[in-house]
Amino acid sequence: MALQPAREGKEAKKDPQSGAGSSVQLFTWEDIGLCTGQGHPQQEQWLVIDRKIYDIGQFYQRHPGGAQIISHYAGQDATDAFTAFHANKALVRKYMSSLLIGELAQDQISMEPSKNTQAGYLQHDLGHLSVFSKRKWNQVVHMFVIGQLMGMSASWWKLTHFQHHAKPNCICKDPDLSMHPILFTLGKVLSVELGMKKKKFMPYNHQHKYFFVTILPFLFPVYFQYFAFHKTIQRKDWVDLAWMLSFYIRFFLSYEPLLGLKSLLGFYLLLRVLESIWFVWVSFMSHIPMNIDYDKNLDWFSTQLQATCNVDQSLFNDWFTGHQNFQIEHHLFPTMPPYNYWKVAPLVKSLCAKHSIEYHCKPLLTAFADIVHNSRETRVSLWITQWRILLNMKQQTKKNTNVKIHKEWDREC
């Protein structure tokens, strides 16, 4: 039987919009904060959408967008995330009715007390349902483009990318940070944490150098390829797997007669490496130099702004990045067609200015340089500094122990 820490002791009050015999349970933010699904394996998972409280404990594994993305909001307000990710909200709400367990009490504010305000390009836009007006067309064409034209998994991309959008730069919740700490150390908080724990998996003081020979050329041909196939087979998504394999069959039949097997493999690796280099620069420039920390349960707007920055608009930048130079607007409105980002950018800027929130925007080359500079200067210096502090403390402790031993020896003599 599931634990119900927040339901006990709560009075059921009459719902004025319902019949005389119906009632609705009212809860506080403190009640909701207790139901995160953490701790006891059977603990309930609650979240809030438009002041209504839903128990997703028995549903999250069947969530069409993936279990992780909805679980990230357990014990929190998910209203803005729900609005951003679901195009047909009326349809979704029909399926949510069975999960409804109550509402926020009338004396509870609508937002949590801790919140202060409210082919590569093509597959990405299709995955965000921002190309066609009908959801089904976006899904079908997305599976074709990413599977047949790119040899990647549509379901794997959705599971990882939507989590990134829900909790960008939040460690343990954003899959894009999975390189920490095995390969790189990321963020001030995490770098200091590694130093305090005296953990070292790689020579982090050289990470700005091996960045160019590890993640930059091999993210696509090694990491992405492995996990795309692994997760697709693990989830038994055979349709997705068939689309992926169709890419390799087409690629082999098209080029093997012209190049031969060895040259074909070299050509394939070259394409993947070039694709990886482009992808790393374009995707990392908007997030890696920004704040990286544990989930602080901030409001939707603040969560996206502190983890995201833009690159100056120009014809070249728009083309080269596929309009992902408007990364702030893309994160705030993930289902918006990319060609409309420039229209809402001035409105977002004015909103940031009104609420004293910094709107980061920089030149393209500066954004590229910040990836390496930030990795070399900020993260590494923090990690090394903390490491040296611990070593000095250890040496001082050893020195004090030796002094104490000598004093006791002199006393005995």
Side-chain angles (χ1 to χ4, degrees):
M1 181 177 177
L3 292 180
Q4 298 182 345
R7 292 200 197 186
E8 296 179 1
K10 292 294 178 182
E11 291 185 7
K13 297 189 178 181
K14 189 175 293 185
D15 185 353
Q17 296 181 350
S18 305
S22 63
S23 62
V24 59
Q25 286 189 285
L26 304 179
F27 301 96
T28 66
W29 284 113
E30 184 178 359
D31 297 330
I32 297 158
L34 296 174
C35 298
T36 62
Q38 299 177 1
H40 193 284
Q42 291 185 321
Q43 186 179 6
E44 293 177 336
Q45 296 186 49
W46 295 2
L47 55 76
V48 179
I49 298 175
D50 292 329
R51 297 186 63 85
K52 296 185 182 298
I53 303 167
Y54 300 89
D55 183 359
I56 61 170
Q58 303 299 320
F59 167 76
Y60 75 99
Q61 293 285 5
R62 296 179 285 113
H63 181 233
Q68 294 91 342
I69 187 173
I70 192 171
S71 295
H72 291 339
Y73 282 92
Q76 300 179 9
D77 178 29
T79 302
D80 291 332
F82 174 82
T83 303
F85 286 117
H86 298 91
N88 191 343
K89 299 172 184 59
L91 176 63
V92 178
R93 290 185 188 278
K94 292 181 180 179
Y95 295 95
M96 293 168 55
S97 58
S98 62
L99 308 177
L100 183 65
I101 61 171
E103 298 180 0
L104 284 172
Q106 293 181 357
D107 61 344
Q108 297 293 299
I109 58 176
S110 295
M111 66 182 70
E112 293 169 87
S114 61
K115 297 182 177 180
N116 44 32
T117 167
Q118 282 303 317
Y121 305 143
L122 181 58
Q123 75 82 17
H124 178 271
D125 298 338
L126 287 163
H128 279 288
L129 311 178
S130 57
V131 177
F132 299 103
S133 59
K134 292 187 177 296
R135 180 187 183 91
K136 189 66 176 180
W137 275 106
N138 282 293
Q139 293 175 332
V140 171
V141 180
H142 177 239
M143 188 170 291
F144 169 78
V145 172
I146 196 173
Q148 166 59 217
L149 302 186
M150 299 181 63
M152 301 295 286
S153 166
S155 61
W156 168 78
W157 181 88
K158 290 177 182 179
L159 286 173
T160 56
H161 194 65
F162 289 176
Q163 287 184 71
H164 161 71
H165 269 269
K167 295 290 183 179
N169 282 13
C170 291
I171 197 67
C172 299
K173 293 189 175 182
D174 184 354
D176 288 2
L177 304 181
S178 58
M179 69 189 79
H180 173 94
I182 303 300
L183 196 58
F184 296 93
T185 174
L186 303 173
K188 297 179 180 179
V189 174
L190 304 180
S191 299
V192 172
E193 185 179 81
L194 276 181
M196 293 293 289
K197 293 179 179 179
K198 296 190 288 187
K199 288 186 177 180
K200 185 177 181 181
F201 299 93
M202 292 288 287
Y204 298 130
N205 52 315
H206 297 293
Q207 68 178 12
H208 61 289
K209 299 175 184 177
Y210 63 73
F211 162 81
F212 291 96
V213 295
T214 54
I215 199 76
L216 188 63
F218 296 118
L219 181 66
F220 253 84
V222 178
Y223 181 85
F224 276 7
Q225 289 291 285
Y226 168 76
F227 277 99
F229 275 100
H230 174 70
K231 293 296 183 182
T232 303
I233 295 173
Q234 186 182 57
R235 290 169 56 87
K236 299 181 180 180
D237 196 339
W238 308 126
V239 174
D240 213 13
L241 181 62
W243 277 114
M244 294 170 65
L245 293 176
S246 70
F247 164 83
Y248 293 95
I249 294 172
R250 176 182 58 81
F251 191 85
F252 179 83
L253 294 177
S254 299
Y255 294 105
E256 197 278 335
L258 300 174
L259 302 175
L261 184 59
K262 289 185 178 180
S263 297
L264 175 65
L265 294 176
F267 179 56
Y268 171 78
L269 182 60
L270 175 63
L271 291 178
R272 286 303 193 195
V273 168
L274 293 175
E275 186 178 25
S276 181
I277 292 172
W278 166 83
F279 177 83
V280 169
W281 285 122
V282 171
S283 61
F284 280 30
M285 69 181 184
S286 297
H287 296 292
I288 295 301
M290 303 302 290
N291 181 62
I292 299 175
D293 202 347
Y294 290 96
D295 183 14
K296 300 300 183 182
N297 192 18
L298 301 176
D299 61 272
W300 177 261
F301 194 86
S302 299
T303 297
Q304 307 304 326
L305 265 292
Q306 71 167 2
T308 312
C309 69
N310 277 8
V311 168
D312 293 342
Q313 182 186 19
S314 70
L315 289 177
F316 175 81
N317 290 351
D318 291 353
W319 166 79
F320 184 74
T321 66
H323 294 281
Q324 296 307 300
N325 49 326
F326 289 97
Q327 195 68 196
I328 292 175
E329 288 70 29
H330 172 56
H331 266 255
L332 290 175
F333 313 105
T335 59
M336 177 181 289
Y339 52 81
N340 284 333
Y341 292 154
W342 68 274
K343 298 179 181 178
V344 299
L347 301 176
V348 176
K349 287 181 182 179
S350 62
L351 186 63
C352 289
K354 179 180 179 179
H355 295 280
S356 301
I357 299 176
E358 191 168 0
Y359 183 98
H360 296 274
C361 190
K362 60 186 74 170
L364 182 64
L365 295 181
T366 300
F368 289 166
D370 281 350
I371 299 173
V372 181
H373 181 269
N374 192 271
S375 173
R376 180 183 59 193
E377 300 296 334
T378 308
R379 280 46 167 161
V380 175
S381 62
L382 282 166
W383 193 92
I384 292 178
T385 299
Q386 193 61 49
W387 182 265
R388 287 175 176 170
I389 289 174
L390 288 170
L391 288 178
N392 290 336
M393 290 173 60
K394 185 176 181 180
Q395 292 173 356
Q396 186 64 38
T397 302
K398 185 176 181 180
K399 181 178 179 181
N400 293 339
T401 302
N402 290 336
V403 170
K404 184 177 180 181
I405 292 174
H406 283 298
K407 287 183 177 180
E408 291 180 357
W409 175 259
D410 293 338
R411 195 179 303 115
E412 291 292 329
C413 294

